[in-house]
Amino acid sequence: MFEQKKITYKMKLLSSLAKVFQDEEPVYQMECQTLSALWGETVSFQAAYTGDFFMRERLDVEVVSPLKDYIRVRTVEQVPVGRATNGIVDDNYLRTEPGLYPDLLRDVKEGKVIVCSNQWRSLWIDIEVTKDIAPGNYEIELRLKKEGDVVTSAKQRLTVIGVELPKQKIMHTEWMHADCLADYYHVDVFSEEHWKILENYFKEYVKRGCNMMLTPLFTSPLDTAVGLERTTTQLIKVEVVKGEYRFDFSKLKRWIDLCKKCGIEYYEMSHLFSQWGAKYAPKVVAEVDGKEEKIFGWHTPAVGEYTRFLKAFLPQLIEKLKEWNIDQVTYFHISDEPREEHLESYRAAKESLGNMLDGFHTFDALSSYEFYRHGLIDKPIPGNNEIEEFLEHGLTDMWTYYCTGQFYEVSNRFMSMPSARNRIYGVQLYKYKIIGILHWGYNFYNSQFSIEHINPYEVTDAGNAFPSGDPFLVYPGADRNPEESIRMMVHYEALTDLRALELLESLTSREHVMELIEGELAEPLTFKRYPKSDMYLIMLRNRVNKEIQKFGI
């Protein structure tokens, strides 16, 4: 017989920047628990909990606060990480081995959570701070209850400042993969079920600071192995009648209307040529003399008959963009991530367009300054590990991005990285006056090169190809709504930090804000050199909020 012992429960308050691993007791940091907010933002904190009973228990969660109606409580779920890093790491990773990592945020069901014996888990608490909340100090108590009795609890305080956070200025795109949603939920592409799912995802996308949408004119030629193809996701209906091309834009109009309904402000047309060099046409399906055929793809070069197709298509597309009043907020891609050895094939593809895209921005993720120097790209988007060369050449109004290749020294959001490495991005974007940010993986639920579909709840690294956290930000919920991640929420915090810094600058000066950012640092902040501590970010934001309160009321 086991001797019955008294069960003890623990709860610790943590900031949103902590990551709670089940096998490691988190450290309470009182210096990171001061929480303040402006009207118009969602702020978050965590409550870690455990118990030392024999098996596991299901306890009730209770929130006691005058702000209860504005609070959402989610559990932080552990997910499997096969590939944690790219092998080369710096000193700013939490862990580098495969295992279970905290990431998925899941709404508490029926007001109950599972407490696992001698394992640490955490609750994620969001407070949506609206103008309905009067300025002042508020207390939020989290309780775990067993059979009506409180077994452990903790209290968090929030200061609400009566100034509204301004509208986001920076353009932000996370590539929405419409085919992955159809594939995962087993619905026909652009069926009514698919449109409803897309709407669910678009709404969450906008809610977290994404305001530009990748628009699949034709099936996006992204992360697809040469010779293979992704599920056809083509908004433009094409007919070939006696060798001439005809186009139906009705699906594209529905896509644009849905984007507008959900709050999208900018549009990026899917890449006109294949990835990694622009050597081929993207997959285009058409009705040829009454029969559906694949008329372009890996089997067709970028320049040739496809050029004639684009000369027929692009002028009509541009006419529609003008008719729908979105031509001034539409950007075009040529080819994703061309390298310097692709300079000539990229040039040929770009020159084949002639002056058809005059008046529109062309922009692409790339690493080589040569593409800009040769006048082949209007808005280069270098990785944050390579942007310094572009800045040194005096470029302004810059975009930047990161993905799997930005794993050393710079900001990123792999699950193996501390959340502060994700959130510092907002401060860096402010300092360098970045006007747009891009990431390739909002919901990429395929293996690398799209060879097979994956279940993102089981495979978080695109089939051991990229560090977990790179391929997607949201999980495909069973109710056909996205489930968010820690990384999504912390990235949103980075964007609200940026907005707060811009607000303070408008009330004071850029010099004043930069003194707050760098005044206590041993050297200037850059994309590769920046504070690594949670405390720096939390205290900086609180100081900024106090300054806004001082000058803005």
Side-chain angles (χ1 to χ4, degrees):
M1 294 290 291
F2 290 103
E3 182 179 346
Q4 189 71 32
K5 68 173 184 175
K6 180 177 174 61
I7 298 174
T8 59
Y9 302 87
K10 295 180 183 178
M11 181 178 284
K12 293 185 178 186
L13 291 179
L14 303 170
S15 79
S16 60
L17 299 181
K19 289 190 178 182
V20 179
F21 292 87
Q22 60 188 21
D23 61 346
E24 181 180 335
E25 181 170 356
V27 177
Y28 170 70
Q29 296 174 295
M30 61 186 297
E31 69 275 20
C32 293
Q33 289 311 129
T34 302
L35 190 62
S36 62
L38 304 175
W39 284 332
E41 68 177 318
T42 297
V43 292
S44 309
F45 68 96
Q46 296 179 81
Y49 57 89
T50 190
D52 66 351
F53 36 83
F54 180 60
M55 297 181 73
R56 73 173 196 169
E57 292 190 330
R58 195 162 180 254
L59 302 183
D60 295 303
V61 180
E62 183 180 32
V63 177
V64 180
S65 174
L67 300 180
K68 184 176 180 179
D69 291 344
Y70 303 90
I71 292 173
R72 179 185 187 184
V73 181
R74 292 180 279 182
T75 56
V76 180
E77 300 295 328
Q78 310 281 317
V79 299
V81 169
R83 185 185 182 104
T85 74
N86 277 329
I88 301 171
V89 298
D90 52 37
D91 60 2
N92 196 22
Y93 282 78
L94 295 172
R95 297 186 176 190
T96 59
E97 299 300 322
L100 293 175
Y101 284 62
D103 189 61
L104 168 64
L105 299 178
R106 177 160 284 170
D107 283 302
V108 171
K109 295 181 180 178
E110 301 175 354
K112 296 181 181 291
V113 296
I114 300 297
V115 184
C116 297
S117 177
N118 294 299
Q119 292 182 15
W120 282 94
R121 301 291 176 94
S122 69
L123 297 172
W124 185 277
I125 300 92
D126 296 315
I127 308 101
E128 189 172 350
V129 183
T130 73
K131 294 183 74 172
D132 296 329
I133 301 175
N137 298 312
Y138 295 89
E139 187 175 89
I140 302 162
E141 182 178 4
L142 272 295
R143 296 174 175 175
L144 291 183
K145 301 173 73 174
K146 180 178 180 180
E147 298 175 353
D149 295 327
V150 177
V151 295
T152 186
S153 66
K155 295 179 179 179
Q156 173 71 46
R157 287 174 176 78
L158 169 68
T159 299
V160 175
I161 295 166
V163 179
E164 190 167 14
L165 199 64
K167 183 177 181 294
Q168 181 177 306
K169 295 178 183 177
I170 196 169
M171 289 175 273
H172 178 201
T173 178
E174 303 276 339
W175 286 349
M176 179 80 67
H177 299 273
D179 61 326
C180 290
L181 295 178
D183 294 333
Y184 182 83
Y185 289 110
H186 303 291
V187 299
D188 292 335
V189 173
F190 300 133
S191 62
E192 290 305 312
E193 296 95 329
H194 193 208
W195 282 111
K196 179 56 182 172
I197 292 167
L198 287 168
E199 181 173 353
N200 294 341
Y201 278 71
F202 285 13
K203 286 178 178 177
E204 189 275 344
Y205 181 86
V206 171
K207 185 177 181 180
R208 299 305 178 207
C210 305
N211 55 18
M212 175 182 272
M213 183 63 74
L214 180 66
T215 298
L217 300 171
F218 308 107
T219 302
S220 294
L222 299 169
D223 212 79
T224 308
V226 175
L228 299 182
E229 59 182 68
R230 293 174 61 163
T231 299
T232 300
T233 315
Q234 179 176 317
L235 287 168
I236 306 299
K237 182 179 179 181
V238 182
E239 287 185 276
V240 183
V241 180
K242 297 181 179 179
E244 297 301 315
Y245 298 107
R246 298 178 182 175
F247 306 99
D248 182 337
F249 293 89
S250 55
K251 279 196 182 78
L252 176 60
K253 178 64 162 59
R254 184 171 181 178
W255 177 279
I256 298 299
D257 287 344
L258 180 59
C259 286
K260 288 181 177 179
K261 174 184 175 182
C262 295
I264 293 296
E265 299 176 68
Y266 305 96
Y267 304 87
E268 55 178 320
M269 299 296 107
S270 56
H271 302 72
L272 296 176
F273 301 93
S274 62
Q275 195 173 24
W276 306 307
K279 296 179 180 179
Y280 306 98
K283 179 173 75 169
V284 178
V285 172
E287 189 177 291
V288 182
D289 297 327
K291 181 181 178 182
E292 186 174 278
E293 293 182 16
K294 183 170 65 176
I295 59 173
F296 298 112
W298 293 117
H299 62 292
T300 47
V303 179
E305 178 59 25
Y306 181 60
T307 307
R308 189 172 78 86
F309 172 85
L310 290 178
K311 286 181 177 179
F313 170 64
L314 287 175
Q316 292 187 44
L317 171 65
I318 290 169
E319 185 178 319
K320 292 295 183 182
L321 298 178
K322 291 178 178 178
E323 178 185 325
W324 302 333
N325 294 316
I326 62 169
D327 55 304
Q328 296 301 307
V329 290
T330 296
Y331 287 62
F332 281 86
H333 284 294
I334 306 301
S335 172
D336 189 49
E337 293 188 321
R339 295 183 291 273
E340 199 160 329
E341 61 263 32
H342 302 136
L343 194 65
E344 292 311 312
S345 58
Y346 189 97
R347 185 199 303 276
K350 177 67 184 296
E351 290 180 349
S352 74
L353 299 174
N355 61 2
M356 287 188 287
L357 295 183
D358 284 1
F360 288 90
H361 288 299
T362 57
F363 70 153
D364 278 318
L366 48 80
S367 303
S368 172
Y369 179 76
E370 291 301 297
F371 287 85
Y372 182 79
R373 189 174 71 82
H374 285 269
L376 300 179
I377 191 75
D378 175 33
K379 287 287 180 188
I381 311 178
N384 58 347
N385 60 330
E386 291 151 334
I387 193 173
E388 290 172 359
E389 179 183 5
F390 292 79
L391 295 171
E392 288 167 0
H393 279 95
L395 271 69
T396 57
D397 296 331
M398 285 292 298
W399 280 67
T400 189
Y401 83 105
Y402 54 63
C403 64
T404 185
Q406 287 66 46
F407 56 84
Y408 194 77
E409 296 185 313
V410 293
S411 308
N412 210 317
R413 58 187 189 222
F414 301 161
M415 294 181 195
S416 55
M417 292 176 171
S419 285
R421 191 164 179 167
N422 182 348
R423 186 167 172 178
I424 194 65
Y425 202 35
V427 183
Q428 295 168 328
L429 298 174
Y430 173 80
K431 175 172 179 177
Y432 289 98
K433 301 181 182 179
I434 301 300
I435 67 165
I437 52 174
L438 174 150
H439 193 281
W440 75 281
Y442 184 72
N443 64 319
F444 184 73
Y445 305 146
N446 290 339
S447 66
Q448 186 185 23
F449 302 133
S450 299
I451 294 171
E452 59 188 356
H453 305 312
I454 57 98
N455 180 344
Y457 291 100
E458 298 175 354
V459 180
T460 59
D461 54 15
N464 208 250
F466 314 121
S468 294
D470 187 42
F472 57 85
L473 268 177
V474 296
Y475 296 78
D479 63 354
R480 300 190 173 189
N481 283 278
E483 291 190 297
E484 294 178 317
S485 63
I486 287 177
R487 294 167 294 112
M488 176 86 264
M489 293 306 299
V490 172
H491 190 69
Y492 163 81
E493 288 179 327
L495 295 177
T496 57
D497 289 346
L498 171 61
R499 292 159 65 189
L501 292 167
E502 290 171 341
L503 173 57
L504 182 57
E505 179 182 327
S506 73
L507 297 171
T508 57
S509 67
R510 183 167 180 82
E511 292 74 20
H512 182 77
V513 178
M514 287 306 303
E515 175 62 24
L516 288 177
I517 291 172
E518 294 183 338
E520 301 300 320
L521 301 182
E523 58 185 281
L525 175 142
T526 70
F527 280 104
K528 294 181 179 179
R529 307 283 286 180
Y530 51 87
K532 306 297 196 298
S533 70
D534 297 354
M535 184 178 73
Y536 168 82
L537 282 162
I538 292 166
M539 293 186 73
L540 172 62
R541 182 58 199 277
N542 284 322
R543 286 198 301 271
V544 168
N545 284 353
K546 286 179 181 178
E547 293 288 287
I548 289 171
Q549 183 177 37
K550 176 181 175 181
F551 292 101
I553 296 179

